[in-house]
Amino acid sequence: LIDSFDASLPVYGLQPRGLDGLHAPYLDVETAARAFVRSVRDICPHGPYRLIGHSFGGWIVFEMALQLLQEGETISSLIILDSQAPSLHPEQKRRNTHVEILRMLIDLYELNLGRSLGLSTEDLVPLNREQSISLLFSRLIAEKLLPPRTKKETLFAIFRVFEANVKARYVPSAVYEGPLHLASVRNDPEKEMLDQTGQMEPTWEVHAPRITSYEAQGNHLTMLIPPYVEELGSWVIQALRHG
């Protein structure tokens, strides 16, 4: 996606804490956003800021925008790519098993691959957490979804971050009054996998009334790679220009 941008436009990526395998993932959106705001302001102490987030990152940048506004800063662009709107009445946290969460992660890898990895829930149930992640690791290496020299600890770290994201519940503390640019994918099996049915725009309007929507091509992951990303990139560039 970044390749679609003007080379003179500085872009900073924010990596979820925990992917390095050394630190624990953030357990809630507000804490993660607060840490990212500090990182952003270390680089650029004052705005206006342009924020873009995909999937769970959409919640993060939305909360970052609210926090920056509370600190007296300006948001020139807020762009969210295929993120389900936060619920006004989030359900009570349920204790997902490692198999349920790993199944969700497998489904995402399969969206990227375009076919099944051949791992069923029945394959995973007899295995403990470490064994089941190790089994997925071997399949990802075999399918070249991970580079051959990838260490197994990398997937363990990915799983811990993904698990924290799945369990996170988020209710924004305020309505975002600025324009929100929202790209979503229709009829994506990923929505059904995460019980995220229905269109995104009406539910996002509760949190951000000024929405400009765009229907992206591909699925939750392939929207970010060729051939679909070129069209998405053009839309993002227009959103950045018009704020």
Side-chain angles (χ1 to χ4, degrees), residues 111 184-192 198-199 215-216 218-219:
L111 279 180
S184 58
V185 178
R186 307 298 183 189
N187 301 319
D188 189 338
E190 189 265 348
K191 307 296 189 309
E192 298 178 7
Q199 295 185 348
E215 184 172 339
N219 62 40

Side-chain angles (χ1 to χ4, degrees), residues 119-135:
L119 287 176
S120 67
T121 301
E122 289 71 23
D123 295 325
L124 302 173
V125 167
L127 307 178
N128 62 32
R129 183 187 179 104
E130 181 174 354
Q131 291 170 333
S132 57
I133 296 174
S134 296
L135 177 59

Side-chain angles (χ1 to χ4, degrees), residues 148-169:
R149 294 186 180 181
T150 303
K151 296 181 179 179
K152 189 183 298 183
E153 290 76 16
T154 299
L155 185 59
F156 278 86
I158 291 172
F159 178 81
R160 283 192 294 270
V161 172
F162 184 73
E163 181 178 38
N165 292 353
V166 168
K167 293 182 177 180
R169 298 295 179 266

Side-chain angles (χ1 to χ4, degrees), residues 113 115 117 135-148:
L113 183 63
R115 55 185 170 81
L117 284 168
L135 177 59
L136 174 58
F137 177 78
S138 64
R139 294 293 173 90
L140 295 178
I141 293 293
E143 294 290 349
K144 297 182 173 57
L145 287 174
L146 291 177

